Amino acid sequence: MNISYSQPTLQHNQVLIWLCVLSFFSVLNEMVLNVSLPDIANDFNKLPASTNWVNTAFMITFSVGTAVYGKLSDQLGIKKLFLFGIIVNCFGSVIGFVGHSFFPILILARFIQGTGAAAFPALVMVTVARYIPKENRGKAFGLIGSIVAMGEGVGPAIGGMIAHYVHWSYLLLIPTVTIITVPFLIKLLKKEERIRNQFDIAGIILMSVGIVFFMLFTTSYRISFLIISFLSFLIFVKHIRKAPNPFVDPELGKNVSFVIGVLCGGIIFGAVAGFVSMVPYMMKDVHQLNTAAIGSGIIFPGTMSVIIFGYIGGLLVDRKGSLYVLNIGMAILSISFIIAAFFIEATPWLMTIILVFVFGGLSFTKTVISTIVSSSLKQKEVGAGMSLLNFSSFLLEGTGIAIVGGLLSVRLLDRRLLPIDVDQSTYLYSNILLLIVGIIVISWLVILNVYRHSRRIF
């Protein structure tokens, strides 16, 4: 009896260990290059609009891939998809490292990395649901969530140290560590029954074209790119209304509360992601800090604070309600950005404190957005709805990074707008911070207006 009980328990623990490894490196891959963007810009003599594509390229395929892998898990089985994702991710890493001196190769490698890394968040949750006993799933999800938060936290510190003391190109090789999980996943994951179903390839292509050209518009501001993007999305919307198994369920678009929650939540996440991508440029231009100092001293404390704030936010939602936590989170974000805009020339360590509160406010807001979006869905819509929330969040984070890169390059906001005595070199950063505040406040008011009548949510 002891043997029959201990063996499955040991197998469950082993599966969980390797899922944690994959989860850690998926978010580390997303965060680790952010702090090196100014170094990459200097090496290639590129403007931020082009350089930020190092992150944007990854986020595009990562967001689309997350949705694709989730839909394919029933048709192809999670084992094959996991192995495919790991191999593609490692392949992209090697291509990027070998060809890092050629900018187009670097961007291509990040596209490939995102395609592979997308398998990890999409399939980890499915694997937990299928392999971990029901009574242990809560602990498993909690452990994976903590590992993800830790990966987000240490990413900037690791990235800054390696980029400063070695070279940023070596950061591209970090995801190759995931190759060690392959033999264990082959052994531990079982062969699964497949569910035959149509897959909406045309929908994925149309949406991807629309996304890529919109991103190109945000970095170059060519109207032709915007027109192509608009037409692609228009055809995509018409397509999903007729497709038998559409990539995005058009019925979700009729749920106004859900749509507003997803869009406004994604816009807030994108604004913060854009700000975080701007911090390395800002710290180098205004305070002349090196990459290691930016990663470890400026960004690292903020990313690590997510673990604490996430726990506090969950407790407050249960005790005080979502509206209370939403208002606190949005107020923290708005005040933090206003202080940053007015005191950008103060000691650089003020930005360390500001980032702690920015990530804290973001953590509160993410908790609430997930709660209110899930509460606006019917039981049968929860799976598709929450997948769409994750997809849009990743996508709009990439969009925010691209837009901020464009604003730093075209310098439309490089003029004095604040009635304070600041150096001319800070005008651009201060004005972008004020723009971010405006976006956040508008999104906040829209969410409140839509959800204030629903006691079921708040």
Side-chain angles (χ1 to χ4, degrees), residues 70-298:
K71 285 184 173 290
L72 285 177
S73 61
D74 289 332
Q75 299 180 39
L76 300 179
I78 55 177
K79 179 190 283 190
K80 286 187 176 180
L81 292 176
F82 258 136
L83 298 179
F84 175 81
I86 293 168
I87 292 170
V88 170
N89 192 25
C90 292
F91 180 62
S93 298
V94 173
I95 288 179
F97 179 74
V98 173
H100 73 270
S101 57
F102 300 95
F103 192 72
I105 299 296
L106 176 61
I107 299 302
L108 174 64
R110 291 293 280 171
F111 271 116
I112 297 172
Q113 276 189 325
T115 302
F120 307 152
L123 300 176
V124 161
M125 298 307 178
V126 177
T127 307
V128 170
R130 293 182 184 177
Y131 282 84
I132 305 300
K134 192 173 183 180
E135 61 272 16
N136 295 327
R137 285 177 196 164
K139 295 178 182 178
F141 283 126
L143 176 61
I144 291 172
S146 299
I147 294 295
V148 167
M150 185 173 71
E152 292 176 339
V154 302
I158 293 174
M161 298 297 262
I162 293 177
H164 182 68
Y165 293 107
V166 188
H167 191 261
W168 59 263
S169 61
Y170 285 86
L171 299 172
L172 294 162
L173 289 177
I174 290 177
T176 59
V177 176
T178 57
I179 201 73
I180 65 173
T181 66
V182 169
F184 300 99
L185 293 176
I186 291 175
K187 179 181 177 182
L188 294 170
L189 299 181
K190 304 171 185 175
K191 188 176 181 180
E192 300 171 295
E193 292 184 8
R194 301 179 188 178
I195 299 174
R196 299 291 180 185
N197 208 342
Q198 285 185 312
F199 192 67
D200 188 13
I201 296 176
I204 295 172
I205 293 173
L206 286 169
M207 188 181 66
S208 299
V209 169
I211 291 169
V212 170
F213 276 92
F214 180 75
M215 297 289 195
L216 289 171
F217 167 74
T218 62
T219 54
S220 65
Y221 294 99
R222 293 185 183 178
I223 298 299
S224 58
F225 289 156
L226 183 62
I227 292 173
I228 295 173
S229 174
F230 177 77
L231 291 175
S232 297
F233 282 122
L234 187 64
I235 298 171
F236 171 74
V237 171
K238 291 184 177 180
H239 167 78
I240 61 174
R241 289 178 178 175
K242 299 178 181 178
N245 187 30
F247 182 63
V248 176
D249 186 358
E251 290 299 315
L252 291 173
K254 299 177 183 179
N255 186 335
V256 177
S257 297
F258 169 79
V259 172
I260 293 298
V262 168
L263 287 179
C264 289
I267 289 170
I268 294 166
F269 305 156
V272 176
F275 162 71
V276 174
S277 74
M278 184 177 76
V279 169
Y281 296 108
M282 187 166 58
M283 291 296 98
K284 278 186 177 289
D285 287 350
V286 179
H287 297 289
Q288 293 75 51
L289 295 184
N290 62 50
T291 306
I294 296 170
S296 302
I298 304 298

Side-chain angles (χ1 to χ4, degrees), residues 52 56 215 269-271 273-275 277 395-405:
N52 277 18
T56 300
M215 297 289 195
F269 305 156
F275 162 71
S277 74
L395 180 61
L396 288 169
E397 285 176 9
T399 304
I401 293 170
I403 290 174
V404 168

Side-chain angles (χ1 to χ4, degrees), residues 389-426:
L389 173 63
N390 290 331
F391 162 71
S392 64
S393 298
F394 290 136
L395 180 61
L396 288 169
E397 285 176 9
T399 304
I401 293 170
I403 290 174
V404 168
L407 291 174
L408 289 174
S409 300
V410 298
R411 296 189 172 269
L412 289 171
L413 300 176
D414 193 8
R415 60 194 68 189
R416 182 173 179 174
L417 296 179
L418 293 175
I420 55 175
D421 186 21
V422 295
D423 188 83
Q424 187 174 354
S425 64
T426 67

